[in-house]
């Protein structure tokens, strides 16, 4: 693929399906099984993408931003995101700290900077393509965000966007001219057809089966960015 990819995720979120991760306690000791977090899924992404892809990683364990000035945040994220063209945001069940402001959490800032055009010496970056890869929860379910076959007639899927950070919600179902299905079994707005969201959502199992397919979808959506109402700032 040959793409530079920034991965945004909640490092310590352990409400994800177990990947059976082990570590060696010492040179001669046995391996010890450790709790899987969203961070371990980033390692899996690095494995399944081709060798010529460059991965830039988001939040580090314990890296609080509460006391950081906006300029410091801009410097930290700008340097990483400027050289990427695609952002993968890992949607996980515990990605949000519900008692903290969204402005005090890394993921909204990482998405914001991914969507902004940035200037650096020698050039200016474009808005990144953004792909939401949804991780299974600790029970192996995606229903906390994606509900499949929510209509028995048209087999549409429902995205529970109210669960997300505001900047992610704002960039889903944001196409200027939406196209709807002709299913008559829905009250109010009918299900969307086609690529209705600038940030496309895919389940982890589908993504790892064919990562190129979904990265290409995000790139093609970005190529038609003028068809979407993009929100780039944190509210």
């Amino acid at each position: 693929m040959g793409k530079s990819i920034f991965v945004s995720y909640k490092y310590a979120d352990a409400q994800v399906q177990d990947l059976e991760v082990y570590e060696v306690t010492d040179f001669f000791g046995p391996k010890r099984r450790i709790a899987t977090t969203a961070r371990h899924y980033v390692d899996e992404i690095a494995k399944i993408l081709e060798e010529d892809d460059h991965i830039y990683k988001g939040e580090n364990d314990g890296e609080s931003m509460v006391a950081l000035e906006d300029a410091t945040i801009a410097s930290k994220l700008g340097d990483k995101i400027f050289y990427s063209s695609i952002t993968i945001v890992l949607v996980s069940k515990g990605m949000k700290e519900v008692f903290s402001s969204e402005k005090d959490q890394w993921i909204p800032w990482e998405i914001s900077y991914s969507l902004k055009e940035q200037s650096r010496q020698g050039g200016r970056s474009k808005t990144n393509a953004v792909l939401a890869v949804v991780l299974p929860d600790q029970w192996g379910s995606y229903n906390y965000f994606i509900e499949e076959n929510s209509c028995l007639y048209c087999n549409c899927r429902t995205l529970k966007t109210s669960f997300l950070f505001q900047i992610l919600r704002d960039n889903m179902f944001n196409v200027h001219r939406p196209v709807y299905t002709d299913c008559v079994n829905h009250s109010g707005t009918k299900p969307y057809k086609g690529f209705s969201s600038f940030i496309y959502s895919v389940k982890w199992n589908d993504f790892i089966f064919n990562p190129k397919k979904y990265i290409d979808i995000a790139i093609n959506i970005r190529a038609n960015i003028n068809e979407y109402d993009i929100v780039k700032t944190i509210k």
Side-chain angles (χ1 to χ4, degrees), residues 154 156 178-186 189-194:
C154 65
C156 62
V179 178
Y180 302 100
T181 70
D182 56 3
C183 181
V184 298
N185 295 286
H186 295 267
T189 304
K190 294 180 180 180
Y192 291 85
K193 291 175 64 176

Side-chain angles (χ1 to χ4, degrees), residues 10 13 15-16 38 90-96 133-135 144 163:
K10 178 58 180 172
D13 183 11
Q15 296 184 62
V16 295
L90 298 186
V91 174
S92 56
K93 195 172 185 178
M95 69 190 296
K96 292 175 67 175
V133 177
V134 185
L135 304 185
Y144 67 92
F163 157 81

